Amino acid sequence: SPSLDIVKLLIEDNYDLLICEPNLKNYKELPLTDCDKLILNSDIIIFFVGHKEFIPYAKELSENKKYIDFCGIMNPDFI
């Protein structure tokens, strides 16, 4: 998937990533974390896919939290 390709490139470039995929409990190629930990411990949040599980977090992101939204989940019409 394009999202996975981007994540792998960021890891190759030594970015420190927390990854949440609500449809998987674990993934052999990447360590996964839960959404609460990701939101709490991330400087920048990147939404690649608008999973319904992300909607409550998208609603609650503070103005101080930076994000990049590739799927439109931060759009009020999406929420």
Side-chain angles (χ1 to χ4, degrees):
S1 83
S3 301
L4 183 57
D5 293 340
I6 293 169
V7 167
K8 287 179 178 179
L9 287 172
L10 291 171
I11 290 171
E12 286 177 17
D13 285 344
N14 294 314
Y15 284 91
D16 186 20
L17 302 180
L18 294 173
I19 302 162
C20 179
E21 168 49 74
N23 296 312
L24 298 174
K25 292 225 181 241
N26 54 43
Y27 186 70
K28 65 180 179 177
E29 293 184 43
L30 302 168
L32 299 178
T33 190
D34 64 73
C35 290
D36 290 322
K37 181 178 177 184
L38 184 142
I39 297 291
L40 183 65
N41 295 297
S42 296
D43 296 320
I44 300 172
I45 298 163
I46 302 174
F47 292 103
F48 287 115
V49 179
H51 292 301
K52 66 180 182 216
E53 293 86 353
F54 293 155
I55 292 173
Y57 297 97
K59 286 181 178 181
E60 295 179 17
L61 281 180
S62 70
E63 293 178 11
N64 297 327
K65 193 62 80 169
K66 296 177 182 151
Y67 64 88
I68 301 171
D69 181 10
F70 287 105
C71 60
I73 197 168
M74 296 302 291
N75 181 329
D77 293 334
F78 191 99
I79 299 172

